[in-house]
Structure formats: structure tokens, C-alpha cells
Amino acid sequence: VPLPPDHEEGRDRLESAGDPPGREVATSQTSALRVYYRGSKFGFVGNAQKISISVDAADLQWLRRRAKRLGGNLSAVFAEATRLLRQREARERLLQRFGRDGDVTDAEANEIRRQWRG
């Protein structure tokens, strides 16, 4: 699925930064999400460790549907979730560095979102 024109520059930056090839998944007419799977199906095994975990039955059902929908496997879904959580923690650390300057009110956050949407 091709990215909308306003996302081309971001894709070029990602690809030139040496990220592994991703699958672009359209999430709406005006945006797209690049999904990376590093599982063996896509050639990115790395230093994988086999583990055993317990999850709620409903969560497991959702995880399996997500894996199937995106053409991956459960390991790929957990790898994706781990990557996203690591990114969230990095953003939180960055905001902590800004101190009070990183705090925004609800009104300021809404204005930022409005500007992002154009």
C-alpha cells in the first residue's frame, strides 16, 4: 500500500536510516502506519530467545487475530509491542529532560493535534 504524498519524506528518512524493510499498512485515507516484523518469516531473527508466558484468553485471541491480519506470527506481534513500549519509554525520558517545559495543558495538546491534522 503506497504512502500518501505527505508521508513520502518520512518514508525516505526511515529507509535511508537503514531500518529493515517494512510493510506499509493504510490506516485511513490520509495516514499510513509502517509495521516492522523481525520474525523469521521476514528474515529478522536476531538474538531471539524462546520464552513461555501466560496471557488472558481474550487477549490471546486478539493477539492471534492481529498476527494473522498483518501476515506475521505471535512472536512478531510481541516484538512489535516491545518496540513500541521501548519507544514510549524513550519519549517519556525525553519529556522528563524538558522538566516543566515538557508539560502541556489539555488545551495546548488539542492545539498541537489540530496543527498536526492540518
Side-chain angles (χ1 to χ4, degrees):
V1 176
L3 284 170
D6 60 331
H7 286 74
E8 289 297 327
E9 180 183 329
R11 178 176 64 183
D12 294 342
R13 274 198 316 267
L14 285 172
E15 290 174 353
S16 67
D19 281 349
R23 178 173 177 215
E24 296 163 0
V25 179
T27 57
S28 75
Q29 290 183 352
T30 59
S31 66
L33 171 66
R34 176 163 248 177
V35 179
Y36 292 95
Y37 285 118
R38 300 173 194 259
S40 60
K41 181 174 182 178
F42 296 94
F44 300 105
V45 176
N47 188 20
Q49 300 284 318
K50 187 170 184 168
I51 63 169
S52 174
I53 64 169
S54 299
V55 296
D56 177 78
D59 289 340
L60 180 58
Q61 185 178 26
W62 181 88
L63 290 164
R64 285 183 172 151
R65 280 194 314 266
R66 179 167 180 79
K68 184 177 180 179
R69 185 175 62 245
L70 297 176
N73 56 44
L74 284 175
S75 295
V77 173
F78 279 96
E80 176 190 27
T82 302
R83 181 181 57 80
L84 293 171
L85 287 169
R86 291 177 75 141
Q87 288 176 350
R88 179 189 291 175
E89 285 187 5
R91 281 192 303 272
E92 290 169 357
R93 285 192 306 272
L94 179 63
L95 288 174
Q96 286 176 352
R97 286 184 181 175
F98 288 128
R100 295 195 66 195
D101 290 336
D103 295 338
V104 295
T105 65
D106 288 341
E108 291 168 328
N110 288 333
E111 175 62 18
I112 292 168
R113 287 185 195 102
R114 187 192 63 74
Q115 290 177 14
W116 283 345
R117 291 180 186 127

